[in-house]
Amino acid sequence: MDKKLLMIVNPKAGKTQSFSPLFEAVSIFSEAGYLVSVHNTTDRGDATATAAEQGGQFDAIVCSGGDGTLNETITGLMQLDSKPPLGYLPRGSTNDFAASLHIPSQPAEAAASIARGNLQALDIGQWNGRYFVYVASFGAFTKSSYSAPQNVKNVLGHFAYILEGLKDLDSLRPYRAKITADGEVFDGDFLFGAVCNSTSLGGLMKLNPEHVILDDGKFELLLVPNPQNPVDLQNILMALLSQKYTQGGLIFRHVSRLTLETDQELPWSLDGEYAESAPVVEICNRNRALNLLL
């Protein structure tokens, strides 16, 4: 009997609206013995609802879209007691998570890899009542990840985030917060913070792949403190540009649980999607919560 596969497709994602590469992917899945059903998303939240309501009826789920679509799909799967393995055909404008996993950018190549059936366990982040796949961030440049218009992101890719981020420079300011990470407390003013499970953040920041293990129960925590003087600022910039995150006053840790407390308005970005400020944010690592088909 054929195995059943559900493709959740965001038709608006990506630099090209051509569906021919997806037809080729469907053909590859069919040849691998899958009976393929395709669902095109129609609105925000549709991928989550579809994965939650229908995911348990399939042997595999494949998400085709950008990181936001992937986030929605995984959010739906996390509601299931028995979660089918997930494949990813990256078609967004940045695809940070796909870059971390070396998933081919061509749908046919990615589909062929998925069809081979190799599984990779994946940690999932829980941010209060929501989930994230590869990053939860606050502070500088965070807004640019979710405020850049989709059509601009489709055309300009990473550059769109940089352009949108430049608009935030005038409002660049520190946020007072108390952060408790695996029992260690950081209390102060921060320009930026990220809890991630990825080697790439917005194409602007890279982490050493040796530091990032996707199923070790740990996130990588990076905090950028507010510089107190021009020398501090120079040291921070040099550390960021050289990608030496343990230098220049930066805080870099591997943590499984984090609590952030603040009395300020502190918006977040979860996989590039907006998350409103909360006085207390609890972040925990759901170790090996899903299996990826790679």
Side-chain angles (χ1 to χ4, degrees), residues 174-239:
Y175 294 88
R176 164 68 65 171
K178 177 183 177 183
I179 298 165
T180 305
D182 284 357
E184 191 175 6
V185 177
F186 307 100
D187 194 345
D189 295 325
F190 302 96
L191 292 179
F192 174 80
V195 180
C196 56
N197 197 30
S198 171
T199 61
S200 175
L201 299 179
L204 302 176
M205 187 168 70
K206 303 289 185 181
L207 295 178
N208 188 330
E210 295 180 2
H211 294 160
V212 180
I213 302 174
L214 300 180
D215 64 343
D216 63 350
K218 298 281 188 179
F219 293 123
E220 283 60 57
L221 168 67
L222 176 66
L223 298 173
V224 180
N226 186 44
Q228 299 302 306
N229 53 60
V231 174
D232 284 352
L233 176 60
Q234 182 177 4
N235 289 337
I236 286 173
L237 290 175
M238 288 298 295

Short mmCIF file of all heavy atoms in Angstrom, two decimals, residues 174-239:
data_model
loop_
_atom_site.label_atom_id
_atom_site.label_comp_id
_atom_site.label_asym_id
_atom_site.label_seq_id
_atom_site.Cartn_x
_atom_site.Cartn_y
_atom_site.Cartn_z
N PRO A 174 18.95 50.49 24.09
CA PRO A 174 19.07 49.31 24.93
C PRO A 174 17.76 48.97 25.61
O PRO A 174 16.90 49.83 25.81
CB PRO A 174 20.13 49.73 25.96
CG PRO A 174 19.97 51.22 26.05
CD PRO A 174 19.59 51.69 24.67
N TYR A 175 17.62 47.71 25.96
CA TYR A 175 16.46 47.23 26.70
C TYR A 175 16.94 46.66 28.04
O TYR A 175 17.86 45.84 28.07
CB TYR A 175 15.73 46.13 25.92
CG TYR A 175 15.09 46.62 24.64
CD1 TYR A 175 15.81 46.63 23.45
CD2 TYR A 175 13.77 47.06 24.61
CE1 TYR A 175 15.24 47.06 22.27
CE2 TYR A 175 13.18 47.50 23.44
CZ TYR A 175 13.93 47.50 22.27
OH TYR A 175 13.36 47.94 21.10
N ARG A 176 16.31 47.13 29.10
CA ARG A 176 16.65 46.61 30.42
C ARG A 176 15.95 45.27 30.62
O ARG A 176 14.73 45.17 30.42
CB ARG A 176 16.21 47.61 31.49
CG ARG A 176 16.14 47.08 32.91
CD ARG A 176 17.51 46.73 33.49
NE ARG A 176 18.37 47.89 33.64
CZ ARG A 176 19.54 47.87 34.28
NH1 ARG A 176 19.97 46.74 34.80
NH2 ARG A 176 20.27 48.95 34.36
N ALA A 177 16.70 44.27 31.00
CA ALA A 177 16.11 42.95 31.18
C ALA A 177 16.96 42.13 32.15
O ALA A 177 18.17 42.34 32.27
CB ALA A 177 16.01 42.21 29.85
N LYS A 178 16.28 41.22 32.81
CA LYS A 178 16.96 40.23 33.64
C LYS A 178 16.77 38.87 32.96
O LYS A 178 15.65 38.43 32.74
CB LYS A 178 16.37 40.19 35.05
CG LYS A 178 16.99 39.12 35.95
CD LYS A 178 16.32 39.08 37.31
CE LYS A 178 16.88 37.96 38.17
NZ LYS A 178 16.18 37.87 39.48
N ILE A 179 17.88 38.24 32.62
CA ILE A 179 17.85 36.99 31.88
C ILE A 179 18.48 35.90 32.73
O ILE A 179 19.64 36.03 33.15
CB ILE A 179 18.59 37.13 30.54
CG1 ILE A 179 17.90 38.19 29.67
CG2 ILE A 179 18.66 35.80 29.80
CD1 ILE A 179 18.73 38.68 28.51
N THR A 180 17.73 34.86 33.00
CA THR A 180 18.23 33.71 33.75
C THR A 180 18.32 32.54 32.79
O THR A 180 17.31 32.07 32.26
CB THR A 180 17.31 33.36 34.93
OG1 THR A 180 17.12 34.53 35.75
CG2 THR A 180 17.91 32.24 35.77
N ALA A 181 19.55 32.08 32.55
CA ALA A 181 19.79 31.02 31.57
C ALA A 181 20.49 29.85 32.25
O ALA A 181 21.65 29.97 32.64
CB ALA A 181 20.65 31.55 30.42
N ASP A 182 19.75 28.77 32.42
CA ASP A 182 20.28 27.58 33.11
C ASP A 182 20.92 27.97 34.44
O ASP A 182 21.99 27.48 34.81
CB ASP A 182 21.30 26.86 32.23
CG ASP A 182 20.65 26.05 31.11
OD1 ASP A 182 19.40 26.03 31.05
OD2 ASP A 182 21.38 25.45 30.31
N GLY A 183 20.24 28.87 35.16
CA GLY A 183 20.70 29.26 36.49
C GLY A 183 21.64 30.43 36.53
O GLY A 183 21.84 31.04 37.59
N GLU A 184 22.24 30.79 35.40
CA GLU A 184 23.15 31.93 35.34
C GLU A 184 22.34 33.19 35.05
O GLU A 184 21.49 33.19 34.16
CB GLU A 184 24.20 31.71 34.26
CG GLU A 184 25.34 32.70 34.27
CD GLU A 184 26.43 32.35 33.26
OE1 GLU A 184 26.24 31.40 32.47
OE2 GLU A 184 27.47 33.03 33.24
N VAL A 185 22.61 34.26 35.79
CA VAL A 185 21.80 35.48 35.68
C VAL A 185 22.60 36.59 35.00
O VAL A 185 23.75 36.87 35.35
CB VAL A 185 21.33 35.96 37.07
CG1 VAL A 185 20.54 37.27 36.95
CG2 VAL A 185 20.48 34.89 37.75
N PHE A 186 21.96 37.22 34.00
CA PHE A 186 22.51 38.39 33.31
C PHE A 186 21.49 39.52 33.48
O PHE A 186 20.40 39.45 32.91
CB PHE A 186 22.76 38.11 31.83
CG PHE A 186 23.60 36.89 31.59
CD1 PHE A 186 23.01 35.69 31.22
CD2 PHE A 186 24.98 36.93 31.73
CE1 PHE A 186 23.77 34.56 30.99
CE2 PHE A 186 25.76 35.81 31.51
CZ PHE A 186 25.15 34.61 31.14
N ASP A 187 21.84 40.51 34.24
CA ASP A 187 20.91 41.61 34.56
C ASP A 187 21.53 42.90 34.07
O ASP A 187 22.58 43.33 34.56
CB ASP A 187 20.68 41.66 36.08
CG ASP A 187 19.49 42.53 36.44
OD1 ASP A 187 19.03 43.31 35.57
OD2 ASP A 187 19.01 42.46 37.58
N GLY A 188 20.91 43.52 33.04
CA GLY A 188 21.50 44.74 32.52
C GLY A 188 20.75 45.27 31.32
O GLY A 188 19.57 44.96 31.10
N ASP A 189 21.45 46.10 30.55
CA ASP A 189 20.89 46.70 29.34
C ASP A 189 21.47 45.99 28.12
O ASP A 189 22.70 45.86 27.99
CB ASP A 189 21.22 48.19 29.28
CG ASP A 189 20.57 48.97 30.40
OD1 ASP A 189 19.45 48.61 30.79
OD2 ASP A 189 21.19 49.93 30.91
N PHE A 190 20.58 45.58 27.20
CA PHE A 190 21.02 44.81 26.05
C PHE A 190 20.48 45.44 24.76
O PHE A 190 19.33 45.85 24.69
CB PHE A 190 20.51 43.36 26.14
CG PHE A 190 20.98 42.66 27.39
CD1 PHE A 190 20.17 42.61 28.51
CD2 PHE A 190 22.23 42.07 27.43
CE1 PHE A 190 20.59 41.97 29.67
CE2 PHE A 190 22.67 41.42 28.58
CZ PHE A 190 21.86 41.37 29.70
N LEU A 191 21.34 45.47 23.73
CA LEU A 191 20.92 45.95 22.42
C LEU A 191 20.22 44.86 21.63
O LEU A 191 19.32 45.13 20.82
CB LEU A 191 22.13 46.44 21.61
CG LEU A 191 22.84 47.69 22.10
CD1 LEU A 191 24.03 47.99 21.19
CD2 LEU A 191 21.89 48.88 22.14
N PHE A 192 20.65 43.62 21.87
CA PHE A 192 20.14 42.51 21.06
C PHE A 192 20.32 41.21 21.83
O PHE A 192 21.26 41.06 22.61
CB PHE A 192 20.92 42.43 19.73
CG PHE A 192 20.59 41.25 18.86
CD1 PHE A 192 19.46 41.24 18.07
CD2 PHE A 192 21.42 40.13 18.85
CE1 PHE A 192 19.16 40.14 17.27
CE2 PHE A 192 21.13 39.04 18.04
CZ PHE A 192 19.99 39.04 17.25
N GLY A 193 19.39 40.30 21.59
CA GLY A 193 19.52 38.97 22.16
C GLY A 193 18.91 37.95 21.22
O GLY A 193 17.92 38.23 20.53
N ALA A 194 19.51 36.76 21.16
CA ALA A 194 18.98 35.71 20.31
C ALA A 194 19.17 34.36 20.99
O ALA A 194 20.23 34.08 21.55
CB ALA A 194 19.65 35.71 18.94
N VAL A 195 18.13 33.55 20.92
CA VAL A 195 18.19 32.16 21.34
C VAL A 195 17.98 31.36 20.06
O VAL A 195 16.92 31.44 19.44
CB VAL A 195 17.08 31.83 22.36
CG1 VAL A 195 17.15 30.37 22.78
CG2 VAL A 195 17.19 32.75 23.57
N CYS A 196 19.00 30.62 19.63
CA CYS A 196 18.90 30.04 18.30
C CYS A 196 19.39 28.60 18.25
O CYS A 196 20.11 28.11 19.12
CB CYS A 196 19.66 30.89 17.29
SG CYS A 196 21.40 31.16 17.69
N ASN A 197 18.95 27.93 17.19
CA ASN A 197 19.37 26.56 16.89
C ASN A 197 19.66 26.50 15.40
O ASN A 197 19.07 25.75 14.65
CB ASN A 197 18.25 25.58 17.27
CG ASN A 197 18.74 24.14 17.38
OD1 ASN A 197 19.89 23.89 17.71
ND2 ASN A 197 17.87 23.18 17.09
N SER A 198 20.59 27.37 14.99
CA SER A 198 20.87 27.55 13.57
C SER A 198 22.27 28.13 13.43
O SER A 198 22.80 28.73 14.36
CB SER A 198 19.85 28.50 12.95
OG SER A 198 20.19 28.86 11.63
N THR A 199 22.86 27.95 12.25
CA THR A 199 24.18 28.55 12.00
C THR A 199 24.09 29.89 11.28
O THR A 199 25.10 30.54 11.04
CB THR A 199 25.05 27.60 11.15
OG1 THR A 199 24.40 27.37 9.89
CG2 THR A 199 25.28 26.29 11.87
N SER A 200 22.87 30.32 10.93
CA SER A 200 22.69 31.56 10.19
C SER A 200 21.48 32.30 10.70
O SER A 200 20.42 31.71 10.91
CB SER A 200 22.52 31.26 8.69
OG SER A 200 22.22 32.45 7.98
N LEU A 201 21.62 33.61 10.94
CA LEU A 201 20.51 34.44 11.40
C LEU A 201 20.34 35.60 10.45
O LEU A 201 21.13 36.54 10.44
CB LEU A 201 20.77 34.98 12.82
CG LEU A 201 20.95 33.94 13.92
CD1 LEU A 201 21.21 34.64 15.24
CD2 LEU A 201 19.70 33.09 14.04
N GLY A 202 19.33 35.53 9.61
CA GLY A 202 19.02 36.61 8.69
C GLY A 202 20.11 36.89 7.67
O GLY A 202 20.10 37.92 7.02
N GLY A 203 21.04 35.96 7.54
CA GLY A 203 22.15 36.18 6.64
C GLY A 203 23.13 37.22 7.16
O GLY A 203 24.13 37.51 6.53
N LEU A 204 22.86 37.77 8.35
CA LEU A 204 23.70 38.83 8.90
C LEU A 204 24.69 38.28 9.92
O LEU A 204 25.71 38.90 10.18
CB LEU A 204 22.82 39.89 9.58
CG LEU A 204 21.78 40.56 8.68
CD1 LEU A 204 20.92 41.51 9.50
CD2 LEU A 204 22.46 41.30 7.55
N MET A 205 24.38 37.15 10.54
CA MET A 205 25.22 36.62 11.59
C MET A 205 25.40 35.12 11.37
O MET A 205 24.44 34.41 11.08
CB MET A 205 24.56 36.87 12.95
CG MET A 205 25.44 36.50 14.13
SD MET A 205 24.74 37.14 15.67
CE MET A 205 23.31 36.10 15.84
N LYS A 206 26.62 34.66 11.49
CA LYS A 206 26.92 33.26 11.27
C LYS A 206 27.49 32.65 12.55
O LYS A 206 28.30 33.29 13.24
CB LYS A 206 27.94 33.09 10.14
CG LYS A 206 27.51 33.69 8.81
CD LYS A 206 26.39 32.90 8.16
CE LYS A 206 26.07 33.45 6.78
NZ LYS A 206 24.97 32.72 6.13
N LEU A 207 27.08 31.43 12.85
CA LEU A 207 27.65 30.69 13.96
C LEU A 207 28.44 29.51 13.42
O LEU A 207 28.07 28.91 12.40
CB LEU A 207 26.55 30.19 14.90
CG LEU A 207 25.73 31.26 15.63
CD1 LEU A 207 24.65 30.61 16.49
CD2 LEU A 207 26.63 32.12 16.51
N ASN A 208 29.50 29.17 14.11
CA ASN A 208 30.33 28.04 13.72
C ASN A 208 29.51 26.75 13.80
O ASN A 208 28.95 26.44 14.85
CB ASN A 208 31.53 27.95 14.67
CG ASN A 208 32.54 26.92 14.22
OD1 ASN A 208 32.19 25.92 13.59
ND2 ASN A 208 33.80 27.15 14.55
N PRO A 209 29.41 25.99 12.70
CA PRO A 209 28.64 24.74 12.73
C PRO A 209 29.07 23.79 13.83
O PRO A 209 28.28 22.97 14.30
CB PRO A 209 28.90 24.15 11.33
CG PRO A 209 29.23 25.32 10.47
CD PRO A 209 29.97 26.27 11.36
N GLU A 210 30.34 23.88 14.27
CA GLU A 210 30.81 23.03 15.35
C GLU A 210 30.13 23.37 16.68
O GLU A 210 30.10 22.55 17.60
CB GLU A 210 32.33 23.15 15.49
CG GLU A 210 33.10 22.62 14.29
CD GLU A 210 34.59 22.77 14.46
OE1 GLU A 210 35.02 23.24 15.54
OE2 GLU A 210 35.34 22.40 13.54
N HIS A 211 29.60 24.59 16.79
CA HIS A 211 28.94 25.03 18.01
C HIS A 211 27.45 24.70 18.03
O HIS A 211 26.80 24.83 19.06
CB HIS A 211 29.11 26.54 18.20
CG HIS A 211 30.51 26.97 18.44
ND1 HIS A 211 30.94 28.27 18.25
CD2 HIS A 211 31.60 26.27 18.87
CE1 HIS A 211 32.24 28.35 18.53
NE2 HIS A 211 32.65 27.16 18.91
N VAL A 212 26.90 24.33 16.87
CA VAL A 212 25.45 24.18 16.74
C VAL A 212 25.11 22.72 16.46
O VAL A 212 25.40 22.20 15.38
CB VAL A 212 24.90 25.09 15.62
CG1 VAL A 212 23.38 24.92 15.51
CG2 VAL A 212 25.25 26.54 15.89
N ILE A 213 24.52 22.06 17.43
CA ILE A 213 24.04 20.69 17.26
C ILE A 213 22.52 20.74 17.40
O ILE A 213 22.00 21.20 18.42
CB ILE A 213 24.66 19.74 18.31
CG1 ILE A 213 26.19 19.77 18.19
CG2 ILE A 213 24.14 18.32 18.13
CD1 ILE A 213 26.91 18.99 19.26
N LEU A 214 21.81 20.29 16.37
CA LEU A 214 20.37 20.54 16.29
C LEU A 214 19.53 19.67 17.20
O LEU A 214 18.34 19.91 17.35
CB LEU A 214 19.91 20.36 14.83
CG LEU A 214 20.57 21.29 13.81
CD1 LEU A 214 20.04 21.01 12.42
CD2 LEU A 214 20.36 22.75 14.19
N ASP A 215 20.14 18.65 17.82
CA ASP A 215 19.34 17.76 18.67
C ASP A 215 20.02 17.47 20.00
O ASP A 215 19.85 16.40 20.59
CB ASP A 215 19.06 16.44 17.93
CG ASP A 215 20.32 15.64 17.63
OD1 ASP A 215 21.43 16.24 17.70
OD2 ASP A 215 20.21 14.44 17.34
N ASP A 216 20.80 18.44 20.52
CA ASP A 216 21.54 18.22 21.76
C ASP A 216 20.82 18.73 23.00
O ASP A 216 21.36 18.71 24.11
CB ASP A 216 22.93 18.86 21.67
CG ASP A 216 22.89 20.38 21.51
OD1 ASP A 216 21.78 20.93 21.27
OD2 ASP A 216 23.95 21.02 21.60
N GLY A 217 19.57 19.24 22.82
CA GLY A 217 18.84 19.78 23.96
C GLY A 217 19.30 21.15 24.39
O GLY A 217 18.87 21.65 25.43
N LYS A 218 20.18 21.78 23.59
CA LYS A 218 20.73 23.09 23.94
C LYS A 218 20.48 24.08 22.82
O LYS A 218 20.55 23.75 21.64
CB LYS A 218 22.24 22.98 24.18
CG LYS A 218 22.66 22.08 25.33
CD LYS A 218 22.48 22.76 26.67
CE LYS A 218 23.09 21.93 27.78
NZ LYS A 218 22.95 22.58 29.10
N PHE A 219 20.21 25.32 23.22
CA PHE A 219 20.19 26.44 22.29
C PHE A 219 21.50 27.20 22.41
O PHE A 219 22.21 27.08 23.41
CB PHE A 219 19.06 27.42 22.61
CG PHE A 219 17.68 26.87 22.38
CD1 PHE A 219 16.76 26.85 23.41
CD2 PHE A 219 17.30 26.39 21.14
CE1 PHE A 219 15.48 26.36 23.21
CE2 PHE A 219 16.03 25.90 20.93
CZ PHE A 219 15.12 25.88 21.97
N GLU A 220 21.79 28.00 21.40
CA GLU A 220 22.91 28.94 21.48
C GLU A 220 22.32 30.31 21.85
O GLU A 220 21.45 30.81 21.15
CB GLU A 220 23.66 29.01 20.15
CG GLU A 220 24.59 27.84 19.91
CD GLU A 220 23.87 26.49 19.88
OE1 GLU A 220 22.94 26.32 19.08
OE2 GLU A 220 24.22 25.60 20.68
N LEU A 221 22.79 30.87 22.95
CA LEU A 221 22.33 32.17 23.43
C LEU A 221 23.39 33.22 23.15
O LEU A 221 24.55 33.05 23.54
CB LEU A 221 22.05 32.10 24.93
CG LEU A 221 21.84 33.45 25.65
CD1 LEU A 221 20.56 34.13 25.18
CD2 LEU A 221 21.82 33.27 27.17
N LEU A 222 23.00 34.28 22.45
CA LEU A 222 23.91 35.40 22.20
C LEU A 222 23.26 36.68 22.73
O LEU A 222 22.12 37.00 22.34
CB LEU A 222 24.20 35.55 20.71
CG LEU A 222 25.08 36.77 20.33
CD1 LEU A 222 26.49 36.61 20.89
CD2 LEU A 222 25.13 36.95 18.82
N LEU A 223 23.96 37.39 23.59
CA LEU A 223 23.49 38.66 24.12
C LEU A 223 24.51 39.74 23.80
O LEU A 223 25.71 39.55 23.99
CB LEU A 223 23.29 38.59 25.64
CG LEU A 223 22.26 37.59 26.17
CD1 LEU A 223 22.31 37.53 27.68
CD2 LEU A 223 20.86 37.98 25.69
N VAL A 224 23.99 40.87 23.27
CA VAL A 224 24.85 42.02 22.97
C VAL A 224 24.54 43.12 23.99
O VAL A 224 23.48 43.75 23.92
CB VAL A 224 24.61 42.55 21.54
CG1 VAL A 224 25.51 43.75 21.26
CG2 VAL A 224 24.85 41.45 20.52
N PRO A 225 25.43 43.32 24.96
CA PRO A 225 25.17 44.34 25.99
C PRO A 225 25.29 45.75 25.42
O PRO A 225 25.96 45.97 24.40
CB PRO A 225 26.24 44.07 27.04
CG PRO A 225 27.35 43.42 26.28
CD PRO A 225 26.71 42.63 25.17
N ASN A 226 24.67 46.70 26.09
CA ASN A 226 24.76 48.10 25.67
C ASN A 226 26.16 48.63 25.97
O ASN A 226 26.63 48.56 27.11
CB ASN A 226 23.72 48.93 26.43
CG ASN A 226 23.67 50.36 25.93
OD1 ASN A 226 23.68 50.60 24.73
ND2 ASN A 226 23.62 51.31 26.85
N PRO A 227 26.87 49.15 24.97
CA PRO A 227 28.23 49.65 25.22
C PRO A 227 28.19 50.89 26.10
O PRO A 227 27.32 51.76 25.94
CB PRO A 227 28.76 49.96 23.82
CG PRO A 227 27.53 50.18 22.98
CD PRO A 227 26.48 49.27 23.55
N GLN A 228 29.15 50.99 27.00
CA GLN A 228 29.20 52.11 27.93
C GLN A 228 30.04 53.27 27.39
O GLN A 228 29.94 54.39 27.90
CB GLN A 228 29.78 51.64 29.27
CG GLN A 228 28.95 50.55 29.94
CD GLN A 228 27.52 50.99 30.19
OE1 GLN A 228 27.27 52.04 30.82
NE2 GLN A 228 26.57 50.22 29.70
N ASN A 229 30.85 53.01 26.38
CA ASN A 229 31.73 54.05 25.83
C ASN A 229 32.13 53.64 24.42
O ASN A 229 31.84 52.52 23.98
CB ASN A 229 32.95 54.25 26.73
CG ASN A 229 33.68 52.94 26.99
OD1 ASN A 229 34.14 52.28 26.06
ND2 ASN A 229 33.77 52.56 28.28
N PRO A 230 32.79 54.54 23.67
CA PRO A 230 33.18 54.22 22.29
C PRO A 230 34.08 52.99 22.16
O PRO A 230 34.01 52.27 21.17
CB PRO A 230 33.90 55.49 21.82
CG PRO A 230 33.29 56.58 22.65
CD PRO A 230 33.04 55.97 23.99
N VAL A 231 34.93 52.76 23.16
CA VAL A 231 35.81 51.59 23.11
C VAL A 231 34.99 50.31 23.20
O VAL A 231 35.21 49.35 22.46
CB VAL A 231 36.86 51.65 24.23
CG1 VAL A 231 37.68 50.35 24.27
CG2 VAL A 231 37.79 52.85 24.04
N ASP A 232 33.99 50.30 24.10
CA ASP A 232 33.09 49.14 24.21
C ASP A 232 32.39 48.87 22.88
O ASP A 232 32.29 47.73 22.43
CB ASP A 232 32.04 49.37 25.29
CG ASP A 232 32.60 49.20 26.69
OD1 ASP A 232 33.76 48.77 26.82
OD2 ASP A 232 31.87 49.51 27.65
N LEU A 233 31.91 49.96 22.27
CA LEU A 233 31.19 49.82 21.00
C LEU A 233 32.11 49.24 19.92
O LEU A 233 31.71 48.34 19.17
CB LEU A 233 30.66 51.19 20.56
CG LEU A 233 29.97 51.22 19.19
CD1 LEU A 233 28.77 50.28 19.16
CD2 LEU A 233 29.53 52.65 18.84
N GLN A 234 33.34 49.74 19.86
CA GLN A 234 34.28 49.24 18.86
C GLN A 234 34.57 47.75 19.09
O GLN A 234 34.61 46.96 18.14
CB GLN A 234 35.58 50.03 18.91
CG GLN A 234 36.59 49.59 17.86
CD GLN A 234 37.85 50.44 17.89
OE1 GLN A 234 38.01 51.30 18.73
NE2 GLN A 234 38.76 50.19 16.95
N ASN A 235 34.74 47.36 20.35
CA ASN A 235 35.03 45.96 20.66
C ASN A 235 33.86 45.06 20.28
O ASN A 235 34.06 43.95 19.75
CB ASN A 235 35.35 45.80 22.15
CG ASN A 235 36.69 46.40 22.52
OD1 ASN A 235 37.57 46.56 21.66
ND2 ASN A 235 36.85 46.74 23.79
N ILE A 236 32.65 45.53 20.54
CA ILE A 236 31.46 44.75 20.20
C ILE A 236 31.34 44.58 18.69
O ILE A 236 31.10 43.48 18.18
CB ILE A 236 30.19 45.41 20.77
CG1 ILE A 236 30.13 45.20 22.29
CG2 ILE A 236 28.92 44.86 20.11
CD1 ILE A 236 29.01 45.97 22.97
N LEU A 237 31.53 45.69 17.95
CA LEU A 237 31.42 45.63 16.49
C LEU A 237 32.48 44.71 15.90
O LEU A 237 32.21 43.93 14.99
CB LEU A 237 31.55 47.04 15.90
CG LEU A 237 30.37 47.99 16.17
CD1 LEU A 237 30.68 49.38 15.64
CD2 LEU A 237 29.10 47.46 15.52
N MET A 238 33.70 44.79 16.42
CA MET A 238 34.77 43.93 15.91
C MET A 238 34.47 42.46 16.18
O MET A 238 34.70 41.60 15.32
CB MET A 238 36.10 44.33 16.57
CG MET A 238 36.66 45.65 16.07
SD MET A 238 37.04 45.63 14.29
CE MET A 238 38.36 44.43 14.27
N ALA A 239 33.92 42.17 17.35
CA ALA A 239 33.59 40.79 17.69
C ALA A 239 32.48 40.26 16.78
O ALA A 239 32.53 39.12 16.32
CB ALA A 239 33.18 40.69 19.16
#
